[in-house]
Amino acid sequence: MALRSGRWFGGHDLAGFVHRSALRAEGLSSAAFDGRPIVGICNSWSELVNCNVHFQALAGAIARGVLQAGGLPLQFPTISLGEQLMKPTTMLYRNLMAMDVEESLRSYPLDAVVLLAGCDKTVPAQLMGAASADVPAIMVTGGPAKPAVFRGRQLGVGTDLWRYTDDLRAGRITQAEYDELEAAAGSSVGHCPEMGTASTMAAIVEALGMSLPGSAAPPAGDARRYAAAEAAGRRAVALAHEELRPSRILTPTAFDNAITALIATGGSTNAVPHLLALAGRAGVELTLERFDELARHTPMIVNVRPAGEHLVEQLFHAGGVPAVLRELAPLLDLTALTVSGRTLGETLPDQPTSDPDVIASLEDPVKPTGGLVVLRGSLAPRGALLKPSVASERLLRHSGTALVFDDIDDLAARIDDPALEVDANTILVLRNAGPIGAPGMPEWGQLPIPERLLRAGVDDMVRVSDARMSGTAFGTTVLHVAPEGAIAGPLAVAGTGDRIELDVEARRIDLAVEPGEIERRIAEWAPPARKYDRGYGSLFLDHVLQADEGCDFDFLRGRSGQAAREPYGILQGTIGGW
Ligand code: FES
C-alpha cells in the first residue's frame, strides 16, 4: 500500500527535492527516503509538567522500536498541560492541545504516530486530535509516579493530600507535619499513582484498544515501561503499513468497553467528558445515559484509591489492566479490534490476577455497583454526575438547605467565616465554575468543608456545582451540572435557603421550589461578566460545549478524514510555503 509520506518524498521533481532536502538538512541520508514509513512521536514533554518530564527517555525507547521495525522516527512537540501549574485549569486548554495535535498530524508527512502522554488532559487531547486526523496512531502513557511514603504510609498524591489538608484545617496535624508531607509527596516523575484521572485515562486507553495490552500500569521508572514504549514504536511501523486508523478502533463497542473499564476501576468522573468529546471526534453517538446504563451492571473490582485501598503500582503487580479486562470479559465485547492488530479477546492473559485483593472478581467485587451515576432533575435538566464509590452512604438520599457561593472567590472569602450559617446537613453550592462560567470547568467541585464543621468531626457534606473534581478526590459531590449556571442553567438562580433534594437511587437532583419559580427567577437573571474578550479564551467562550457533550468545541467534532490523507497544498507548498 502506498504510504502517505510518499506524497511528500516520492517524486523526483521540485516538490520531492524540497521536502527531502528539509530532512537532509537535519543530517538524514538518502536511505531515509527509500519508502520506509515515517512515524511521528508526538511528545508532550515539558519541564512545566512534572508528570511528563521523563518523556525524552521514553521517546528514545519509542524511536528505538521504530528503527527496529524499519521505520523513520521523527519526534515533534506539542503544547503540554500540567495539572498543578497551569491556571485556571488545564481543561481550558485541552481543546487547544487537541487542535495542535490534529493539525500537526494533518499537515506533516506522517504515516503513523505514537502519542506520548501522561498528565490528565494530555491523554484525551492527543486522542481527540488523532481521532480527528485519523492517521494511524498508538498511545504510550507515562506511567504512575513512585508512591511517596509519609510516616510509614504509601501516599496517593491527591487522595492523601486532600485528607491531610482537612487534618491541618481541623487541627489534627501541625503545620510542621504538613511541611514534612510536602517534602515527601512529590517523590518522582510520573503521573498521580492512584486511580486519579491520569491512571483512569491510561486504563481506558488500553480498554479502548488504542495502546498495547499491559502498557497502562507499569510505573514511570520501571524498565518494563520502556520496553512497552519500544514495542509501541515497532507496532507503529506495522500500523503504517496496515493503514490501521483510529476510525477502525474507536467504535461504539470500544467506547462501551472503555466505560465498563472506567466503572470497574473506580475511575475518575473526569473521564466522562473526555470520552464524550472523543466519541464526538470519532462520530460515535454517546450520551450520559450510556454511562449510567453500563454502570448499573458493572461492579467495581479494582481496589485502588480513592475508591479503594491500594495504588496503581499494586495494580501493576497484580496483572495490570489486562488482568482487569480478563475478569470483566463477560461484560465486554471481546471482538473489538485493538492497535495490536488483534481483538481485545485475543489480547487477554491466560492466567487470572495474582492478587485478588487488588483485582477482585465479578462474583465477589470490591463494590457491587455505584461507580458512577447520572442525575437529572430541576437543578440539572441536562445531567450531573456523582461517584457513589467515594461518597457517604448516609448522604446518598439527602434533603438540605442550600448555602450558595456565587463563584470561587466568594467561596474562598466566606467558607471559613465563623459567622457562616452552616451545619452538617447544609448543601454547599458553587456556581459559575463550569465550562463558560469559570471558564474551563476547573476541579473546584470538592468544595471544602467549613473549618468549624471539620473541627467538630464532620467529614463529608453534599456539595453541588457545575465544576469538575480531581480524580483523586472523594466526597458526596454532585458535579458537572448542566446546563451550567453561567448560561442560565437552574444553578444560576438557586438561592441560599432553598431546599435541594438529592436521591441517588432515583437519579434525581431537584431544587424544591414552587412550579414556575425557576423560570421566573431566570427571567430576572443577568449573566455574569464575560471573562475573556480576545484570543484563545474568547474562542473558547464562543464555542465550548456543555459538560454533557464533553466540553469540546462545536466546530471540532468529527474528522479531517480525506483532508488528512491528501493534504491540500502539498504541491503548491514548494512555491508558497518555502
Ligand atoms: Fe499530572 Fe496528577 S498532576 S497526573
Side-chain angles (χ1 to χ4, degrees):
M1 189 174 294
L3 292 170
R4 179 175 180 251
S5 61
R7 297 180 65 85
W8 276 261
F9 302 114
H12 287 278
D13 53 4
L14 176 60
F17 177 105
V18 170
H19 297 144
R20 284 187 297 274
S21 103
L23 289 181
R24 280 178 178 264
E26 297 181 15
L28 295 173
S29 73
S30 58
F33 311 111
D34 62 358
R36 68 186 63 210
I38 295 186
V39 175
I41 301 173
C42 181
N43 194 345
S44 56
W45 172 88
S46 168
E47 285 185 338
L48 291 166
V49 185
N50 55 298
C51 309
N52 295 14
V53 84
H54 56 307
F55 279 11
Q56 299 296 56
L58 272 175
I62 294 165
R64 197 163 61 232
V66 173
L67 290 168
Q68 286 167 359
L72 174 64
L74 292 176
Q75 191 185 154
F76 63 95
T78 64
I79 59 163
S80 194
L81 314 175
E83 285 302 304
Q84 285 142 329
L85 296 182
M86 197 171 209
K87 305 297 175 193
T89 168
T90 50
M91 190 64 172
L92 184 64
Y93 300 105
R94 184 200 63 180
N95 298 346
L96 180 63
M97 184 173 175
M99 290 171 78
D100 183 346
V101 171
E102 177 182 348
E103 296 308 315
S104 295
L105 300 187
R106 190 184 59 75
S107 56
Y108 279 116
L110 303 173
D111 299 305
V113 64
V114 181
L115 307 165
L116 183 50
C119 198
D120 295 10
K121 308 304 180 297
T122 59
V123 175
Q126 287 194 342
L127 284 176
M128 289 160 66
S132 283
D134 207 23
V135 167
I138 184 169
M139 177 162 272
V140 172
T141 50
K146 183 165 159 258
V149 177
F150 178 64
R151 311 235 152 146
R153 183 171 191 268
Q154 281 197 330
L155 300 183
V157 169
T159 307
D160 291 282
L161 175 61
W162 314 130
R163 292 195 198 282
Y164 282 115
T165 301
D166 278 353
D167 284 348
L168 178 72
R169 295 174 66 233
R172 293 190 286 267
I173 64 171
T174 65
Q175 184 64 49
E177 288 171 311
Y178 195 68
D179 292 346
E180 190 185 328
L181 171 71
E182 180 186 317
S187 66
S188 84
V189 299
H191 59 69
C192 295
E194 63 270 75
M195 197 53 71
T197 305
S199 298
T200 302
M201 291 307 298
I204 280 177
V205 174
E206 213 177 300
L208 273 172
M210 286 298 295
S211 61
L212 288 180
S215 62
D222 194 289
R224 285 162 283 189
R225 174 152 300 282
Y226 290 82
E230 190 184 286
R234 284 194 299 273
R235 183 62 198 147
V237 177
L239 290 179
H241 286 304
E242 296 164 12
E243 250 200 284
L244 179 50
R245 302 176 181 281
S247 52
R248 288 181 55 201
I249 294 168
L250 297 174
T251 61
T253 292
F255 280 93
D256 277 359
N257 288 342
I259 294 167
T260 301
L262 163 66
I263 307 302
T265 53
S268 166
T269 47
N270 287 325
V272 176
H274 297 329
L275 281 171
L276 289 166
L278 182 61
R281 299 301 187 99
V284 170
E285 289 290 329
L286 183 63
T287 63
L288 280 179
E289 270 54 47
R290 190 64 182 149
F291 288 84
D292 199 74
E293 282 166 25
L294 292 171
R296 285 177 190 264
H297 305 111
T298 305
M300 181 181 132
I301 63 166
V302 173
N303 187 12
V304 171
R305 287 176 232 173
E309 297 167 9
H310 300 288
L311 295 172
V312 176
E313 187 166 304
Q314 282 86 45
L315 174 64
F316 169 58
H317 293 305
V321 174
V324 176
L325 297 178
R326 185 185 190 279
E327 193 56 46
L328 290 174
L331 304 179
L332 302 173
D333 186 333
L334 300 179
T335 66
L337 182 63
T338 72
V339 283
S340 71
R342 296 177 291 159
T343 65
L344 187 65
E346 289 167 341
T347 67
L348 298 184
D350 295 332
Q351 297 300 316
T353 177
S354 56
D355 190 345
D357 185 46
V358 179
I359 303 174
S361 64
L362 288 177
E363 295 72 35
D364 187 18
V366 180
K367 296 184 180 170
T369 53
L372 195 72
V373 297
V374 176
L375 306 168
R376 286 187 192 271
S378 60
L379 194 54
R382 284 173 53 182
L385 299 182
L386 185 138
K387 186 175 169 183
S389 57
V390 294
S392 301
E393 184 77 34
R394 66 189 157 80
L395 292 173
L396 295 181
R397 186 161 187 210
H398 181 76
S399 174
T401 305
L403 172 57
V404 179
F405 298 94
D406 255 331
D407 55 28
I408 193 70
D409 294 327
D410 183 29
L411 175 75
R414 292 198 290 135
I415 191 69
D416 285 336
D417 182 345
L420 200 64
E421 286 193 28
V422 62
D423 62 34
N425 292 317
T426 303
I427 295 183
L428 304 178
V429 177
L430 173 66
R431 62 181 163 224
N432 295 320
I436 289 173
M441 204 182 175
E443 293 179 340
W444 296 337
Q446 188 193 29
L447 279 71
I449 295 170
E451 188 177 309
R452 176 159 53 84
L453 298 183
L454 273 179
R455 287 181 182 275
V458 176
D459 62 357
D460 195 9
M461 298 172 71
V462 174
R463 290 158 268 182
V464 180
S465 73
D466 43 18
R468 294 176 302 116
M469 175 174 86
S470 166
T472 64
F474 47 84
T476 310
T477 52
V478 177
L479 307 160
H480 304 199
V481 169
E484 63 176 298
I487 60 164
L491 204 58
V493 295
T496 292
D498 285 345
R499 180 149 297 272
I500 292 176
E501 293 171 352
L502 170 67
D503 187 342
V504 169
E505 180 66 33
R507 305 294 196 264
R508 297 288 304 179
I509 179 84
D510 288 295
L511 186 63
V513 292
E514 294 295 316
E517 175 65 10
I518 292 175
E519 293 73 15
R520 190 189 62 72
R521 290 185 193 176
I522 286 176
E524 294 171 3
W525 169 84
R530 187 178 164 96
K531 295 273 183 15
Y532 292 98
D533 60 11
R534 67 165 299 280
Y536 174 76
S538 188
L539 178 85
F540 184 96
L541 292 176
D542 288 340
H543 294 284
V544 71
L545 298 168
Q546 288 291 285
D548 61 323
E549 297 175 313
C551 303
D552 202 358
F553 290 159
D554 50 11
F555 63 89
L556 286 177
R557 300 189 115 193
R559 299 192 188 100
S560 316
Q562 194 66 12
R565 287 191 272 288
E566 295 178 16
Y568 175 73
I570 191 160
L571 298 178
Q572 295 89 330
T574 54
I575 301 167
W578 192 20

